[in-house]
Amino acid sequence: MEPSALAVLIVDENRARAAIIEDGLREAGHARVHVVTAMNGLVREIEQFRPDVIVVDLENPNRDRLEQFFQVSRTVQRPIAMFVDRSDAESMEAAISAGVSAYVVDGLKKERVKAILDMAVLRFHAYSRLERELHDARSELADRKVVEKAKGILMQRRGMSEDESYRLLRQTAMNEKKKLVEIARSIVTAADLLGGEVKR
């Protein structure tokens, strides 16, 4: 995405520091930049502006301030670059756990803002891709277990071999224009309703 097309939300209660970030982004070609100087109503601002990335400067935040922002970052699902002047290992770990893509300590300089923002976007997309792959793998494993259980029910109650029960599931899915796992789930549900132990 070209810099000019990227919508960037700056969150900073200090207008002078917000201006440093805004200048750095505009000089790098970012035209869609919006500055928020109050944490109150931040979620509403995010919903209205719909940023592609969020840049946050909390200067010297205390624990309550950090946690307040982390609660927001967990819900917005956007790349977030956060600048702080001082930090510790616990705060850094909490930031990463809350979904902050780039956590920069004592590094607020106009000429660095674009590079840090680019890194935050790249890390966010890489992490999101890993999350999707993990979700897909878990879903596939769960579906496979349902199919195996349905095959076991057919083998036990209809005296079929494993191959025969699988072919019947597949043929029924084709006839019904449904996914194999949907047919398998129906069989498992029906077997649960009718009762009886399934050996598989």
Side-chain angles (χ1 to χ4, degrees):
M1 186 179 292
E2 291 296 320
S4 58
L6 205 63
V8 184
L9 180 71
I10 300 171
V11 182
D12 196 333
E13 293 175 314
N14 184 319
R15 291 181 184 277
R17 291 170 64 94
I20 295 173
I21 299 172
E22 185 176 7
D23 288 349
L25 292 173
R26 292 197 184 281
E27 287 179 11
H30 292 282
R32 299 174 61 201
V33 179
H34 180 61
V35 179
V36 174
T37 56
M39 291 291 283
N40 292 336
L42 180 57
V43 173
R44 187 176 63 254
E45 291 274 3
I46 292 170
E47 289 174 349
Q48 290 176 347
F49 184 62
R50 303 177 67 83
D52 298 302
V53 59
I54 300 171
V55 181
V56 185
D57 177 34
L58 293 178
E59 204 169 357
N60 294 312
N62 57 33
R63 299 267 179 214
D64 291 343
R65 201 52 151 175
L66 280 172
E67 184 53 37
Q68 183 185 7
F69 184 77
F70 292 161
Q71 287 179 2
V72 174
S73 67
R74 290 187 191 100
T75 62
V76 298
Q77 297 293 305
R78 299 281 198 289
I80 297 172
M82 177 179 285
F83 292 90
V84 296
D85 281 356
R86 288 181 300 179
S87 187
D88 53 41
E90 187 180 345
S91 297
M92 194 176 299
E93 185 176 345
I96 299 303
S97 297
V100 173
S101 307
Y103 188 80
V104 184
V105 181
D106 193 23
L108 180 57
K109 294 179 181 175
K110 185 171 68 174
E111 58 272 19
R112 293 188 64 200
V113 172
K114 182 184 182 304
I116 291 169
L117 182 140
D118 290 346
M119 181 184 69
V121 172
L122 289 172
R123 288 187 63 182
F124 175 81
H125 290 308
Y127 182 74
S128 297
R129 186 173 62 251
L130 286 175
E131 276 198 323
R132 284 196 301 273
E133 290 173 357
L134 179 60
H135 175 269
D136 291 347
R138 285 175 173 165
S139 179
E140 186 179 334
L141 181 60
D143 288 352
R144 194 171 298 171
K145 286 182 178 178
V146 172
V147 171
E148 289 298 314
K149 190 168 184 179
K151 282 164 50 181
I153 292 168
L154 293 173
M155 291 166 66
Q156 182 181 355
R157 299 195 178 183
R158 296 189 58 175
M160 292 177 159
S161 68
E162 185 170 357
D163 287 345
E164 288 171 336
S165 59
Y166 181 75
R167 282 198 295 272
L168 179 59
L169 285 170
R170 192 174 59 182
Q171 187 61 51
T172 304
M174 290 173 63
N175 293 343
E176 298 287 331
K177 294 183 170 46
K178 293 183 177 179
K179 292 181 179 178
L180 182 68
V181 69
E182 292 178 307
I183 299 300
R185 199 171 287 127
S186 298
I187 291 172
V188 172
T189 300
D192 287 342
L193 290 173
L194 294 172
E197 184 181 353
V198 178
K199 297 175 182 177
R200 194 169 179 89

